[in-house]
Amino acid sequence: PDGLVYTFHLRAGVPWVKYDAKTKQVVKVKNGEGKDRMVTAQDFEYGILRTLDPKTASDYAYVLTYVISNAFQFNSGEITDTAKVGVKAIDDATLRITFLEPVVYNLNIAGMWVCHAQPSWLIEEKKDRWTETGNQQSYGPFTLKEWIHDSSLTLVKNPFWPADMPNIPQSKIDEVTFSMLDSTPAFAEFEAGNLDVAGIPLSDVDRVKADPKLSKQVENVPAMGTEFYAFNVKKAPLDDVRVRRALSYAIDRKSLIDNIVKGQGEPAPWFCRPGAAACPTPDKYPNLGIKYDPAKSKSELDAYLKEKNLTADKLNLTLTYNTTEGNKKIAEAIAAMWKEILGLNVKITNMERKVFYAQRTSDPNMQIMRSSWVQDYQDANNFDKEVFSTGGAFMDITRWSDSKFDEMCATAAKEQDPAKRMELYSQADQYLVVEQAVIAPLYWYSGLVIYQPHVKHTPSVTGYDWFEKWDISK
């Protein structure tokens, strides 16, 4: 009733399972007494506490530290007594979670993977290798068959998953293999008949759309995410908001979608992706955010240059992206816009993905960085607060912390009225992308996905696929 304490009642009879390579079957996991291990509330308690344990060093622990009682204190090492954290297994079938505030997204976070049950007995034995082939134990419609790092991952149907589980049915597909390929080789494998589903590389989009056969197999699939460029607000000349605004105003987002991304997205004047709860929508907020405006762009930069007694050619700016064909084309197109509108010669550099992601946070000299965010749960809080507020996911990338923005997000999180809540997040986004110009939003995600004719897929509103709801025609 107070919106703080939630009690969850687990369904009985859901076993832990694993794939047995010898018998080539999925089998139930046994405990020390030879009995089936069933998923219990204690497994969920263990999973949440392990996520929060500073020894685990979970990248996603911060999501829970924002909402669960004493989660931040435990994760930061301020307290070590897990009994003080707001998660408790009352008995095998009852879990209680105590939240910090009565906000509408508490249940969304409780359903995230960071709150899933974890097998304590297995983790204690196998340590960091508990998810490897032959070790992993799980529950759900699939379990792991094989994981060949940087190559492929294969899931198999769990025959012991309850057939009448609401909204999560038993899979109709026996096996799903993910090939870890870049878009170009993956699409080549699709055309060779070796993959059932693939994205379409930008260089092939026009050809596929013009092909009478392939074009009928394509769908534009929405995804709850945003592509943007992050600015390091501590690195000159980006430490001046006028420079950041000038760069953002100079980006023709519609041209980017039409000519570079080939229709795979929607121009984004602000960060929070419409469709997530409380995110502003273009129909209700047509004038929100930052849009292509060459005159404003030049005015902002000219004011800065006059004050500093500089010319545009004297500004040293570098744009860095993780290496992909699409990121390269986008970077080149935007650098050309900056050259045309502002007379800037922006240097473009690229890095391998892992190196780039590590360096964005560790290198204080990086300036403009290709960035993206895809929702973890469908709420504006997962965009604005958890990405850009103090302690958020991108604080170490932008080097930006602002108490006013923090308070705006905190107020919006507590608001119960949907319309008022959306208005509050619209104000937060305006502050983020225009008044402070911490980022240059580019586009909201959607992607062209091509399917073999025998694939019967259920579209996902989140952009995440639920293969237990798919089928293969005979």
Side-chain angles (χ1 to χ4, degrees):
D2 61 5
L4 297 178
V5 181
Y6 286 70
T7 302
F8 300 89
H9 302 281
L10 277 65
R11 176 177 178 146
V14 177
W16 287 93
V17 299
K18 64 179 181 180
Y19 179 77
D20 188 321
K22 292 182 179 179
T23 63
K24 297 183 179 180
Q25 292 182 328
V26 175
V27 298
K28 295 180 181 178
V29 175
K30 305 292 183 181
N31 62 21
E33 299 175 351
K35 297 180 180 179
D36 295 340
R37 282 194 183 274
M38 312 308 289
V39 180
T40 67
Q42 288 85 354
D43 299 333
F44 281 92
E45 177 187 305
Y46 173 82
I48 295 172
L49 292 175
R50 181 174 176 272
T51 296
L52 289 169
D53 192 329
K55 295 178 182 178
T56 305
S58 168
D59 290 337
Y60 264 84
Y62 77 90
V63 177
L64 303 184
T65 65
Y66 278 138
V67 295
I68 294 180
S69 175
N70 277 329
F72 175 81
Q73 289 79 358
F74 177 54
N75 181 249
S76 64
E78 184 179 330
I79 64 173
T80 58
D81 185 0
T82 57
K84 294 181 178 180
V85 182
V87 54
K88 177 67 176 176
I90 306 303
D91 54 40
D92 286 355
T94 311
L95 180 74
R96 183 178 64 210
I97 300 179
T98 303
F99 293 93
L100 291 169
E101 297 178 312
V103 293
V104 297
Y105 50 79
N106 281 337
L107 279 177
N108 287 339
I109 293 178
M112 287 178 61
W113 66 90
V114 287
C115 290
H116 285 186
Q118 297 179 31
S120 58
W121 60 93
L122 178 66
I123 295 171
E124 291 167 3
E125 177 188 356
K126 300 295 184 181
K127 308 302 180 185
D128 288 346
R129 296 189 59 80
W130 73 279
T131 57
E132 296 292 336
T133 302
N135 294 341
Q136 197 252 15
Q137 300 173 11
S138 66
Y139 63 100
F142 294 98
T143 193
L144 178 70
K145 177 182 179 181
E146 183 181 52
W147 179 15
I148 303 174
H149 290 257
D150 300 317
S151 178
S152 66
L153 185 146
T154 301
L155 303 177
V156 290
K157 176 181 177 178
N158 174 11
F160 303 108
W161 184 248
D164 59 344
M165 187 69 77
N167 202 40
I168 310 176
Q170 272 195 350
S171 174
K172 296 177 182 178
I173 298 174
D174 293 329
E175 189 167 298
V176 179
T177 297
F178 302 87
S179 294
M180 300 176 188
L181 297 170
D182 289 335
S183 60
T184 297
F187 185 64
E189 287 291 290
F190 177 89
E191 290 199 285
N194 299 325
L195 287 181
D196 290 311
V197 184
I200 305 174
L202 293 180
S203 57
D204 289 293
V205 169
D206 291 338
R207 174 175 68 86
V208 170
K209 287 183 175 179
D211 187 290
K213 179 182 177 182
L214 292 177
S215 60
K216 295 179 181 178
Q217 299 170 224
V218 177
E219 290 191 22
N220 198 326
V221 179
M224 296 302 295
T226 306
E227 182 84 3
F228 61 99
Y229 281 170
F231 299 127
N232 179 352
V233 303
K234 299 298 184 182
K235 182 67 176 177
L238 298 172
D239 56 348
D240 193 297
V241 69
R242 292 171 295 183
V243 176
R244 304 195 298 268
R245 270 199 294 261
L247 292 169
S248 193
Y249 275 128
I251 298 172
D252 187 341
R253 293 162 177 84
K254 186 176 186 306
S255 175
L256 196 67
I257 296 297
D258 294 343
N259 301 312
I260 308 300
V261 186
K262 303 291 185 179
Q264 299 190 77
E266 181 181 350
W270 61 86
F271 176 65
C272 193
R273 174 62 156 102
C279 279
T281 58
D283 60 324
K284 294 182 179 179
Y285 293 89
N287 299 317
L288 180 65
I290 196 158
K291 300 178 182 180
Y292 180 56
D293 193 323
K296 284 186 178 180
S297 177
K298 285 184 61 65
S299 175
E300 293 279 1
L301 187 64
D302 287 347
Y304 171 81
L305 293 174
K306 182 178 180 180
E307 178 184 304
K308 302 295 183 181
N309 194 27
L310 293 170
T311 55
D313 61 302
K314 298 299 182 183
L315 293 190
N316 294 316
L317 285 167
T318 300
L319 164 62
T320 309
Y321 65 89
N322 56 299
T323 309
T324 71
E325 173 197 6
N327 290 344
K328 180 176 184 291
K329 290 184 176 182
I330 292 169
E332 290 174 343
I334 292 177
M337 295 174 190
W338 288 335
K339 174 66 174 176
E340 178 183 356
I341 302 299
L342 299 171
L344 295 171
N345 296 306
V346 178
K347 180 182 177 182
I348 302 175
T349 64
N350 63 292
M351 299 177 180
E352 186 274 328
R353 184 174 183 269
K354 289 183 180 179
V355 175
F356 172 70
Y357 283 175
Q359 202 150 327
R360 282 192 311 183
T361 58
S362 64
D363 185 354
N365 293 313
M366 292 186 76
Q367 293 179 303
I368 308 169
M369 295 152 281
R370 180 264 159 186
S371 305
S372 65
W373 183 259
V374 177
Q375 60 95 31
D376 303 312
Y377 59 92
Q378 285 190 278
D379 192 276
N381 185 75
N382 186 232
F383 282 84
D384 288 345
K385 179 179 179 180
E386 292 182 3
V387 181
F388 293 112
S389 69
T390 302
F394 270 73
M395 181 180 172
D396 291 338
I397 296 172
T398 63
R399 275 79 176 174
W400 181 71
S401 177
D402 190 294
S403 59
K404 180 178 178 179
F405 183 77
D406 294 347
E407 181 58 33
M408 295 171 85
C409 291
T411 302
K414 297 174 186 176
E415 178 59 56
Q416 299 294 311
D417 181 85
K420 291 180 181 178
R421 196 161 177 256
M422 182 178 289
E423 171 60 25
L424 291 170
Y425 279 115
S426 75
Q427 295 171 16
D429 258 275
Q430 186 76 4
Y431 187 74
L432 176 71
V433 304
V434 180
E435 293 181 46
Q436 294 296 311
V438 180
I439 65 169
L442 301 180
Y443 56 91
W444 295 312
Y445 286 144
S446 65
L448 296 179
V449 180
I450 189 165
Y451 304 84
Q452 298 289 7
H454 57 261
V455 175
K456 296 181 178 180
H457 67 283
T458 300
S460 169
V461 296
T462 65
Y464 297 137
D465 291 314
W466 304 94
F467 297 102
E468 65 271 18
K469 298 181 180 180
W470 289 30
D471 200 0
I472 302 293
S473 61
K474 308 303 181 184

